[in-house]
Amino acid sequence: MNKKKNQTSIDLDAIMTEVLNLFTPEEQQEVIDILSNNGLEKLYQQMEEAFYHYQHPDYSSEATPIAAYLQRLWDMQTCKDYPFDEFKKDCTTVPAAELEKDLRNFILHLFIHYQGPLENAKEEDRPFKLWYIYWAMEHYRIESSLNIILEIMRQSPTFLASYCHLVQDEATIAIIYQLGQNQLALLLSFMNEDGIAPFGKEDICSAVAQIAINNPERRLEIVNWFCQLLNSYYDRFEREEDNNIAIIDYITNTLINIRAVETLPILEKIYKRFKIPNTLTRRGFKEIKKKCRVQN
């Protein structure tokens, strides 16, 4: 897959240092122990219990038996069981319309048979099953597959941890970028859904920003997309509805990266009225305003 570079840089060391400084030395050691012992999976489980309430459709009513050429991918425990070059070759033998249906159906089976976080070390390459599927969708430019990609983003935090943790920051952004360039309305609609994990929404923001970076002639179109998104969030905050306030910091940092000065008026309204997390934008709106106006 031709991965698109994620333009949003996150200083994880600084974030972890800031978080750990909130605890006593004994508590710090406990946090470190948790993170070093399947800690991310436990964190995702806690997030799932706290806010995740997506009502899944009945995937089994749509699923059909997995195509024979994808059965090796289904059975794969490590990449050695099904070398990537062999997968690519197998895909060339299938008509485009059939390939699209088969790939979608494979993902439905991932949803149906998911049983929780990884426990078997032999399955540590499990995320590559999805990576193979992503490659095929991008390589063959199957834009209609964006719907099933968004359905992946609607899955539980533990599912995303199990299947996307190796690909989430780059490959997921790359596939959304590739398939979503002409489907911004669909992406905007997804961004306004409630009860799903924030990771998918962050990836969508990075992918949409990448459109502006790679296609300067579409910059104003992309900035307008973000303005619509921020205005819709602001209206919902005002009505005190379940909202996406926690990801405003990520969105803002993404906008800084594309110098989206046009979004400053709505960002100022949001930052003045609501308490926004400042993990990435440490000094609030003044810093945002300054960085947005810095010339490349």
Side-chain angles (χ1 to χ4, degrees):
M1 177 179 290
N2 297 322
K3 297 180 180 179
K4 313 299 181 197
K5 182 66 176 175
N6 180 7
Q7 298 295 317
T8 303
S9 176
I10 301 176
D11 188 348
L12 291 177
D13 289 340
I15 294 172
M16 285 304 302
T17 299
E18 184 174 329
V19 170
L20 288 174
N21 285 338
L22 300 174
F23 300 97
T24 66
E26 293 78 11
E27 291 170 335
Q28 289 179 12
Q29 186 57 54
E30 184 177 349
V31 170
I32 292 172
D33 290 342
I34 291 174
L35 292 177
S36 62
N37 182 25
N38 296 324
L40 288 178
E41 290 176 358
K42 292 180 180 179
L43 177 61
Y44 290 150
Q45 287 175 323
Q46 292 174 352
M47 292 175 63
E48 191 167 329
E49 294 170 0
F51 70 85
Y52 181 73
H53 54 79
Y54 176 61
Q55 298 299 310
H56 302 88
D58 181 10
Y59 301 122
S60 61
S61 67
E62 299 182 60
T64 59
I66 294 173
Y69 68 97
L70 291 177
Q71 190 62 47
R72 285 184 67 189
L73 181 59
W74 182 261
D75 295 333
M76 183 180 79
Q77 291 190 324
T78 74
C79 293
K80 294 180 181 179
D81 297 330
Y82 192 18
F84 184 52
D85 286 343
E86 293 183 22
F87 171 77
K88 292 195 291 184
K89 183 178 179 180
D90 288 343
C91 286
T92 65
T93 66
V94 184
E98 184 178 337
L99 179 65
E100 175 187 2
K101 294 178 181 178
D102 290 345
L103 297 175
R104 183 181 185 279
N105 183 60
F106 186 94
I107 292 174
L108 292 179
H109 279 274
L110 292 182
F111 298 159
I112 293 167
H113 295 282
Y114 175 66
Q115 296 180 338
L118 288 173
E119 294 180 356
N120 189 338
K122 291 190 298 184
E123 297 183 33
E124 61 185 6
D125 284 351
R126 185 164 72 172
F128 283 98
K129 293 183 180 182
L130 197 55
W131 193 92
Y132 280 32
I133 298 297
Y134 279 3
W135 174 87
M137 289 178 172
E138 181 181 4
H139 180 77
Y140 292 99
R141 303 296 191 265
I142 309 176
E143 291 189 2
S144 57
S145 292
L146 182 60
N147 277 309
I148 193 64
I149 298 298
L150 295 182
E151 192 63 18
I152 292 172
M153 299 296 97
R154 294 185 182 100
Q155 299 307 300
S156 68
T158 53
F159 179 94
L160 296 176
S162 295
Y163 276 106
C164 300
H165 73 276
L166 291 182
V167 297
Q168 188 177 9
D169 289 339
E170 292 190 14
T172 304
I173 293 170
I175 191 65
I176 295 171
Y177 165 84
Q178 186 62 56
L179 304 184
Q181 292 189 50
N182 300 314
Q183 302 186 72
L184 292 178
L186 179 59
L187 296 179
L188 185 62
S189 176
F190 179 90
M191 292 295 296
N192 280 294
E193 293 181 19
D194 287 323
I196 55 180
F199 319 123
K201 293 186 178 185
E202 292 174 357
D203 286 348
I204 286 173
C205 287
S206 292
V208 171
Q210 197 67 42
I211 297 173
I213 293 169
N214 291 349
N215 306 273
E217 71 281 4
R218 297 188 65 181
R219 179 185 175 279
L220 288 179
E221 178 189 4
I222 299 307
V223 168
N224 181 61
W225 185 91
F226 277 106
C227 285
Q228 291 181 65
L229 175 65
L230 291 171
N231 275 293
S232 68
Y233 280 5
Y234 182 81
D235 290 342
R236 291 164 65 185
F237 300 162
E238 288 279 36
R239 295 195 299 270
E240 298 183 353
E241 294 179 2
D242 183 23
N243 58 61
N244 295 279
I245 202 165
I247 67 167
I248 293 293
D249 178 64
Y250 187 94
I251 294 172
T252 301
N253 194 60
T254 302
L255 293 173
I256 289 173
N257 288 331
I258 62 173
R259 307 291 187 259
V261 294
E262 297 89 345
T263 63
L264 288 176
I266 181 59
L267 284 174
E268 185 173 18
K269 287 174 61 178
I270 290 173
Y271 273 81
K272 280 185 175 180
R273 190 166 183 84
F274 307 103
K275 184 174 178 58
I276 306 299
N278 60 349
T279 304
L280 300 173
T281 52
R282 300 302 181 85
R283 298 188 179 92
F285 184 73
K286 288 185 178 180
E287 176 190 8
I288 296 165
K289 187 175 182 180
K290 179 179 179 181
K291 287 186 175 180
C292 270
R293 290 178 173 169
V294 172
Q295 296 298 314
N296 290 320

